Amino acid sequence: MPTTSRLHDVDAAAPASAGGGHVPAPLATLPEADVSLASLIAPEQAVRLRAIPYAAEGRRLLVAMLDASDVAAADEVASCAGRPVRAVAVNRDVFTELMRGQYGITAAQMAARLSGADGGDDELVSNLEAIEADDLHRMAEQPSLINLVNLIILEAIRARASDVHVEPFEKKLAVKYRVDGVLVEQEPPPKQLQPAITSRVKIMSGMNIAERYAPQDGHISLRFEGRKIDIRVSTVPTLYGESVVMRILDKDAVTLDLATLGMRQADRDSMQKLIDLPHGMVLVTGPTGSGKTTTLYAALTKLYDPTLKIITIEDPVEYELSGVNQIPVNPKRGLTFADGLRSILRQDPDVIMVGEIRDYETAEIAVRAALTGHLLFSTLHTNNAVSAVGRLLDMGIEPFLLSSVLEGILAQRLGRRICRHCRVVDPIPEAVRHRLSAAELARFEGGMAWKGAGCEKCSGNGMRGRVGFYEIVLTNGSMRQAMTRRATSMELLRLVGPEFQSMRRDGIAKAVEGLTTIEQVLMATQDADAELAASV
């Protein structure tokens, strides 16, 4: 009978590293996994040993390991399996993927197993007041806890989530993914894992884990399926611990194309006219989360030319644009929008993008920049396009200056897109019919509208992705004259050209086409309609 030590062999095929170890193998280079081999050791044991049996090589068992030099772990697997093993070094992403494939373990299932692993409840206590910084470090560096947090993030990316929320309550720790603008609650991990999970995220994002009573911001960079993912992390103290929100910025998952974003041809033509201007101010308006920055990025991508100097100042820079100089706002170091914009003007730019106009100082410098031969793009928080004029005048901008530089305003909202794999027609509910005008209702043939029935592609909810609802106002001579006398939003709206189409009308057209539902249009555009009605 061979001794246990002779059952263990480090993968000789893996290239040696500078330190004499082995370079982790990517998933693509591994043999196809055999799920039946996973039963040789329990999933809890795989998590503890950081070792997963995944393939056979004759009588020898191939075992994926985070640390292929861990002889004790490999020997324990060999002893349980009753056959020799060959350890293959893999990185954390591959290990997590194999754990999911071999054991079908989700983040929630791993969390449940973790509550009894690596020391159990005694180590993963939930009394935050009693935990010292050293204990938090020790808990957050447990291999199984690291795998759990990685799995939470990877599952969110797979689900196309824009944000991950980790919310502490008295008796549970909630994990929610924001998918297509809607928060979807996941199966919660055990409450006693709260300090460990929070500390692990703070370590990954470069925060101070000993500081639990002040808000903090951090950043995580990782690679997923060959592409770079940036994650902005924010923590705030709450009654039952720190709330954590991770904003997932996946450039490859974002389409920087106006047509794909849902903009109709007439609006794209109007936007092209604004992009082709040599100077002036172009504004994109809407509430937080309405896709304003994505639209501006799409415009800059379309505008890009090596002969142009394009500079942006943003808070923060969400996606890196090739050939564009991007400046992140940093108030702690004295770099505000206004200060950054002043510096940009000394950089000889042709095109400037200001992430947001928040105050008079920024607005005044932006107007001056547009007056002096620059094409300037920016955003404002207003409910519709024409309301942007009143907002800037209220900030203190002189009417004659604004009328001279403002060339166009785009307002937008986002609605959920019907899943194209399970789209069906259905009678419009009576409660919805009452909210439509006769002209709008007449556009739906036979009183029928599209909806999603629910399928595997959309996780059964009938919706997948989002589509934009837009309205564009191109400033004309009559509007400029009206601006100088501080005309109301409704007066300005009467002066827009015949090509103007409101966000609601744009949304209804997309509901007729089957891109979205009537309910999504009404929900997304009701504030814009209400503001115009109030200004009559």
Side-chain angles (χ1 to χ4, degrees):
M1 181 75 182
T3 62
T4 306
S5 60
R6 291 171 62 187
L7 294 174
H8 169 229
D9 180 25
V10 174
D11 182 9
S17 67
H22 290 79
V23 176
L27 187 61
T29 66
L30 299 177
E32 184 175 351
D34 182 349
V35 178
S36 66
L37 297 174
S39 61
L40 294 174
I41 64 172
E44 295 87 349
Q45 192 176 13
V47 170
R48 177 172 58 82
L49 298 176
R50 297 184 291 173
I52 305 172
Y54 71 92
E57 189 179 65
R59 186 171 178 274
R60 190 162 55 170
L61 185 66
L62 298 184
V63 179
M65 299 185 66
L66 288 177
D67 181 5
S69 63
D70 188 344
V71 176
D75 285 350
E76 185 173 334
V77 175
S79 178
C80 291
R83 55 200 290 189
V85 304
R86 177 156 70 91
V88 179
V90 296
N91 60 33
R92 294 194 185 282
D93 288 347
V94 172
F95 186 87
T96 301
E97 187 67 32
L98 282 172
M99 179 65 73
R100 182 186 180 92
Q102 293 295 88
Y103 294 103
I105 291 182
T106 64
Q109 291 166 335
M110 185 181 284
R113 290 187 168 113
L114 257 179
S115 63
D118 288 320
D121 293 355
D122 291 337
E123 283 197 78
L124 299 173
V125 294
S126 58
N127 184 359
L128 285 173
E129 298 293 336
I131 300 176
E132 301 295 336
D134 288 346
D135 296 325
L136 290 172
H137 263 294
R138 177 176 54 82
M139 293 159 55
E141 293 296 340
Q142 293 179 33
S144 48
L145 196 285
I146 291 172
N147 291 333
L148 168 62
V149 174
N150 287 350
L151 192 55
I152 289 173
I153 295 173
L154 292 178
E155 283 185 353
I157 296 172
R158 286 194 189 94
R160 303 176 298 105
S162 61
D163 301 85
V164 178
H165 292 241
V166 182
E167 302 176 343
F169 298 103
E170 182 180 9
K171 295 183 179 179
K172 78 168 187 175
L173 180 66
V175 175
K176 303 174 184 177
Y177 297 161
R178 187 176 294 280
V179 181
D180 298 333
V182 178
L183 278 177
V184 181
E185 187 161 2
Q186 309 300 305
E187 189 176 340
K191 173 68 174 176
Q192 66 264 26
L193 294 180
Q194 176 184 326
I197 290 173
T198 303
S199 297
R200 179 61 199 164
V201 173
K202 291 169 76 172
I203 288 173
M204 292 172 70
S205 55
M207 296 183 191
N208 178 5
I209 69 167
E211 177 54 79
R212 285 169 268 164
Y213 304 104
Q216 294 189 67
D217 294 302
H219 175 262
I220 300 171
S221 288
L222 55 87
R223 299 199 71 81
F224 174 74
E225 295 181 349
R227 64 184 192 266
K228 181 183 176 184
I229 308 282
D230 289 317
I231 301 175
R232 294 205 318 260
V233 184
S234 170
T235 66
V236 295
T238 71
L239 189 60
Y240 297 107
E242 290 174 283
S243 172
V244 180
V245 175
M246 292 177 273
R247 166 63 59 87
I248 299 171
L249 303 172
D250 183 359
K251 182 180 179 182
D252 290 340
V254 175
T255 304
L256 300 180
D257 177 76
L258 296 175
T260 310
L261 292 174
M263 192 175 287
R264 64 193 179 101
Q265 186 61 53
D267 286 339
R268 296 204 303 274
D269 292 342
S270 296
M271 198 67 186
Q272 189 63 54
K273 291 178 183 177
L274 297 175
I275 290 172
D276 291 339
L277 290 171
H279 53 76
M281 176 184 281
V282 178
L283 298 175
V284 178
T285 75
T288 300
S290 60
K292 300 186 298 296
T293 302
T294 301
T295 298
L296 283 181
Y297 280 168
L300 292 182
T301 301
K302 197 170 184 64
L303 175 69
Y304 174 72
D305 186 307
T307 64
L308 295 176
K309 173 86 167 187
I310 304 175
I311 306 181
T312 75
I313 180 163
E314 308 169 57
D315 183 21
V317 173
E318 293 196 6
Y319 301 105
E320 295 177 14
L321 299 178
S322 178
V324 177
N325 297 274
Q326 295 173 271
I327 303 170
V329 165
N330 192 338
K332 292 180 180 178
R333 297 189 176 181
L335 181 57
T336 63
F337 274 120
D339 294 329
L341 188 49
R342 286 193 191 92
S343 300
I344 286 174
L345 294 177
R346 296 192 288 271
Q347 289 282 308
D348 186 30
D350 297 293
V351 180
I352 302 169
M353 192 267 271
V354 181
E356 183 184 346
I357 294 178
R358 298 175 178 171
D359 51 40
Y360 167 74
E361 189 177 15
T362 306
E364 193 268 340
I365 301 169
V367 168
R368 298 285 179 185
L371 275 173
T372 53
H374 304 93
L375 180 58
L376 185 135
F377 294 88
S378 191
T379 71
L380 270 178
H381 287 282
T382 65
N383 286 335
N384 50 58
V386 291
S387 297
V389 174
R391 179 64 55 84
L392 289 172
L393 293 177
D394 289 343
M395 284 183 182
I397 299 301
E398 291 293 339
F400 74 92
L401 288 176
L402 184 59
S403 66
S404 300
V405 302
L406 187 59
E407 298 293 341
I409 311 164
L410 165 70
Q412 67 179 74
R413 294 290 187 281
L414 291 178
R416 301 181 74 188
R417 189 185 289 266
I418 296 174
C419 174
R420 61 186 178 87
H421 299 283
C422 60
R423 196 176 63 161
V424 296
V425 292
D426 206 47
I428 300 173
E430 194 62 32
V432 175
R433 294 170 69 94
H434 286 315
R435 299 178 63 187
L436 298 175
S437 68
E440 289 172 335
L441 193 56
R443 301 190 64 181
F444 294 91
E445 187 175 344
M448 307 288 282
W450 294 97
K451 74 170 189 177
C455 66
E456 183 180 321
K457 296 284 186 181
C458 59
S459 302
N461 61 40
M463 312 294 275
R464 181 178 173 86
R466 292 203 276 182
V467 63
F469 311 139
Y470 303 94
E471 64 183 35
I472 295 185
V473 171
L474 299 181
T475 309
N476 55 39
S478 299
M479 291 182 66
R480 295 188 196 279
Q481 290 179 7
M483 283 183 214
T484 60
R485 64 172 191 273
R486 294 180 177 270
T488 66
S489 295
M490 187 54 68
E491 288 178 284
L492 291 172
L493 192 60
R494 293 193 188 103
L495 299 173
V496 299
E499 72 282 356
F500 175 77
Q501 178 165 276
S502 69
M503 282 184 285
R504 174 162 171 150
R505 185 183 290 179
D506 184 42
I508 291 295
K510 285 164 181 168
V512 171
E513 293 176 38
L515 296 177
T516 189
T517 65
I518 302 173
E519 292 88 343
Q520 284 292 309
V521 176
L522 297 176
M523 182 169 60
T525 62
Q526 61 185 348
D527 58 345
D529 296 335
E531 182 168 314
L532 280 181
S535 66
V536 176

